[in-house]
Amino acid sequence: MVVLNRIYTRTGDKGTTALAAGGRRPKHDLRIEAFGTVDETNACIGMVRLHTKELPIDAMLNRIQNDLFDLGADLATVETDKPLPYEPLRITQGQVDRLEREIDELNADLEPLRSFVLPGGTPAAAALHLARTVCRRAERNVVELMQKPNEKISPEAVKYLNRLSDFLFVASRYVNDKGALDVLWVPGQNR
């Protein structure tokens, strides 16, 4: 469990950030960027939840926000050959599977798409689209990070972000009156 007695520590004043298992990285380091963008995704979902308090989807979003803290801890704990004095928190296949079940549950009531959906409709749907695009950026950061030598990333972390962006898209349609309020792209409409 985390205990925060003081919010400012001054340890980042020289442009570095601590990793969970020790060590520091520059604040512009790709690993820091990756878990920072996961945090940004979480903040976007917090904004979504201002519009979903009365909807069944809110409980799903609450679980996702907790998962995103797990994912941040996963990314902040660099895998090494040295054993840690604790079991590091990692995203699990079970968390990915739950997202897939929830996507299927929400998607079951939606009509198939015949065009791309423009971000918009209800305030909740617009906020979900923003969260989706930030999540995709987090996914790109994590995939780039895993391509670097000596940077280990669990496959479940990448899967989770990929499924989450899918979930956020389907959720945006769901809160748009199950797709009835979707704003569809009309190719070449303004030529």
Side-chain angles (χ1 to χ4, degrees):
M1 195 50 113
V2 176
V3 177
L4 300 172
N5 292 327
R6 257 182 34 188
I7 300 304
Y8 65 90
T9 62
R10 297 185 178 121
T11 58
D13 290 353
K14 293 183 180 173
T16 63
T17 296
L19 296 171
R24 299 190 71 78
R25 298 265 180 110
K27 290 187 185 237
H28 65 271
D29 183 86
L30 186 55
R31 184 172 289 271
I32 307 306
E33 180 69 24
F35 65 75
T37 308
V38 167
D39 188 37
E40 189 178 347
T41 303
N42 204 340
C44 287
I45 292 172
M47 295 298 291
V48 169
R49 292 187 67 206
L50 295 174
H51 305 287
T52 61
K53 290 179 182 173
E54 306 301 319
L55 301 175
I57 199 170
D58 195 64
M60 295 176 188
L61 294 170
N62 181 59
R63 285 190 296 274
I64 288 167
Q65 283 194 288
N66 278 278
D67 286 352
L68 288 174
F69 264 86
D70 290 354
L71 179 55
D74 186 335
L75 294 171
T77 308
V78 179
E79 284 190 41
T80 66
D81 296 334
K82 298 176 187 174
L84 295 172
Y86 59 89
E87 182 69 28
L89 191 55
R90 302 286 184 210
I91 289 293
T92 67
Q93 185 62 44
Q95 289 166 298
V96 174
D97 294 342
R98 190 198 71 243
L99 270 179
E100 288 179 358
R101 285 191 304 274
E102 290 176 344
I103 290 168
D104 292 342
E105 179 183 329
L106 296 176
N107 202 43
D109 293 332
L110 303 177
E111 291 294 320
L113 280 172
R114 308 238 183 281
S115 181
F116 288 105
V117 176
L118 299 178
T122 64
L128 281 159
H129 279 291
L130 178 60
R132 174 185 55 79
T133 62
V134 175
C135 180
R136 284 286 189 209
R137 181 163 28 97
E139 181 184 11
R140 291 190 303 271
N141 292 155
V142 171
V143 169
E144 183 180 357
L145 181 64
M146 68 188 289
Q147 302 302 315
K148 294 199 171 286
N150 304 318
E151 293 286 4
K152 295 180 184 175
I153 301 295
S154 75
E156 288 76 18
V158 177
K159 287 181 197 175
Y160 187 88
L161 285 167
N162 189 270
R163 293 313 176 284
L164 178 58
S165 59
D166 293 338
F167 172 91
L168 295 168
F169 176 75
V170 171
S172 73
R173 296 197 64 221
Y174 183 84
V175 301
N176 258 350
D177 194 20
K178 298 183 179 175
L181 299 176
D182 283 344
V183 180
L184 299 180
W185 173 50
V186 179
Q189 178 180 6
N190 300 311
R191 289 183 176 181

